[in-house]
Amino acid sequence: MRHGRYPFILSFLVLPVGLYAWLVILPFAQAFQISLTDWSGSSNSFEYIGFDNYVNLFKDERFVLPALRHTGIILLVMPLVTIALGLFFAFMLNLGGRVRRGRIEGVRGARFHKIVFFFPQVLSVAIVGILWKQVYAPENFGGLITGALKAVGLPAPANGFLADTRFVLAAVIGVLVWSAVGFYLVYFSSAMASIPRDLYEAAIIDGAGRGPMFFKITLPLLWDSVQTAWIYLSIIALDVFVLVYLMTPEQGGPDASSEVVGGVIWKYAFKHGEQAFASAIGVVLFFAALSLAVVSLRVGRRERIEF
């Protein structure tokens, strides 16, 4: 019986593993092969040029280097702000109410607040991009933020936030945080529900406030959830091109001030006809995402707390 168990298990794995290899691994292998050539995408002839595309990739000061810098900023700021806000709102909604008879309560109407925060998750990226493009528009085009700033006598960019090189990247990051924080509020709230209330009640008896309870009880017990959230948000930060394409002028402008790696891949592949160079950028992005996930799991690993 034991001897025949492994062929039985392998019979179930053959199809899914085969599909994964065909639909995921093979395209990545083909992209790596293309990146070693000079293929333009419009002809069947090409020559192998080795790692020239990878060498030239880091010499492109017009698109690639600004895109790497902007993607790095998004990768650092967006997950950090989203997780911080998600934890803060989840903690306040679940444990920010009054203390009655030694028991800590959540905020009244917490379920309704969670629904309101989660609402951006039901919107497609296209709707989010078009919506916020109008919010950031100049005052004479009905821009909500610029109009509000002018109404209270504060300065606002004449051409809107998205047409100003000083604000466009911050504007994109703000939309990313707005669209993601509701999901992680619900995610962290679900994780907090598994923490025994006895721990908080004991902390209240010892005279602990909200701050010590968060840093001494909630955050250590939610560390695995925070680590998972960081990895997923980092992947989202690396794949932000759709929002940049929909919101910004010149799909990464103005003057490449909101250019991201995904946008550079699209421009070289479909506008400049350099499929091999675009494939090289895609391969670098793939290994960057893979390395980021591995490093996050290794660096963020700590002893599991049982409760």
Side-chain angles (χ1 to χ4, degrees):
M1 184 70 180
R2 185 181 182 87
H3 183 70
R5 182 175 59 183
Y6 297 106
F8 178 75
I9 295 174
L10 289 174
S11 65
F12 282 93
L13 292 177
V14 169
L15 181 60
V17 171
L19 286 174
Y20 183 81
W22 180 38
L23 298 176
V24 178
I25 297 178
L26 182 60
F28 277 124
Q30 289 178 331
F32 180 73
Q33 180 188 12
I34 292 172
S35 70
L36 301 177
T37 69
D38 61 354
W39 186 49
S40 64
S42 59
S43 64
N44 294 325
S45 61
F46 59 86
E47 295 182 2
Y48 283 95
I49 58 175
F51 291 94
D52 288 356
N53 287 322
Y54 294 93
V55 174
N56 295 330
L57 186 154
F58 295 100
K59 296 180 180 179
D60 187 342
E61 297 182 358
R62 182 182 179 187
F63 292 120
V64 177
L65 294 183
L68 290 173
R69 183 171 62 254
H70 299 151
T71 303
I73 294 173
I74 296 173
L75 188 60
L76 177 64
V77 176
M78 183 262 190
L80 183 63
V81 175
T82 303
I83 290 174
L85 290 176
L87 284 171
F88 174 75
F89 289 132
F91 183 78
M92 295 306 296
L93 288 178
N94 290 278
L95 302 167
R98 296 180 178 179
V99 178
R100 296 181 179 179
R101 298 177 182 179
R103 294 183 61 86
I104 189 169
E105 298 180 355
V107 174
R108 183 177 298 178
R111 292 183 179 179
F112 173 75
H113 292 300
K114 291 176 184 178
I115 293 173
V116 172
F117 275 101
F118 191 80
F119 179 72
Q121 289 295 312
V122 305
L123 302 176
S124 68
V125 178
I127 294 175
V128 170
I130 294 172
L131 172 67
W132 279 93
K133 185 176 182 179
Q134 183 62 33
V135 171
Y136 286 134
E139 182 186 12
N140 55 341
F141 285 94
L144 181 62
I145 297 179
T146 52
L149 291 174
K150 290 288 183 66
V152 297
L154 295 176
N159 298 320
F161 288 91
L162 298 178
D164 195 310
T165 57
R166 299 170 298 171
F167 302 113
V168 61
L169 189 62
V172 172
I173 295 174
V175 177
L176 287 170
V177 173
W178 175 84
S179 63
V181 71
F183 174 83
Y184 289 96
L185 182 155
V186 176
Y187 174 64
F188 292 135
S189 295
S190 301
M192 287 181 190
S194 65
I195 300 176
R197 289 291 177 126
D198 297 343
L199 298 177
Y200 295 110
E201 293 170 8
I204 292 172
I205 294 173
D206 291 337
R210 293 293 196 281
M213 281 193 289
F214 175 78
F215 289 105
K216 299 295 184 180
I217 299 175
T218 305
L219 187 58
L221 294 179
L222 292 185
W223 186 254
D224 289 342
S225 299
V226 171
Q227 188 179 44
T228 303
W230 187 278
I231 293 173
Y232 277 105
L233 284 168
S234 298
I235 294 172
I236 293 173
L238 291 173
D239 190 28
V240 71
F241 166 63
V242 175
L243 198 61
V244 172
Y245 180 89
L246 292 169
M247 291 179 58
T248 61
E250 305 169 9
Q251 290 80 44
D255 297 329
S257 55
S258 62
E259 195 73 80
V260 292
V261 175
V264 175
I265 295 174
W266 174 77
K267 287 179 179 179
Y268 274 107
F270 300 106
K271 294 184 70 174
H272 302 304
E274 298 184 33
Q275 291 280 351
F277 190 73
S279 296
I281 303 173
V283 170
V284 171
L285 183 63
F286 166 72
F287 282 108
L290 185 64
S291 301
L292 180 65
V294 173
V295 170
S296 298
L297 289 173
R298 297 282 295 182
V299 173
R301 186 169 55 184
R302 60 171 61 183
E303 185 178 353
R304 183 179 295 273
I305 301 175
E306 301 291 343
F307 55 92

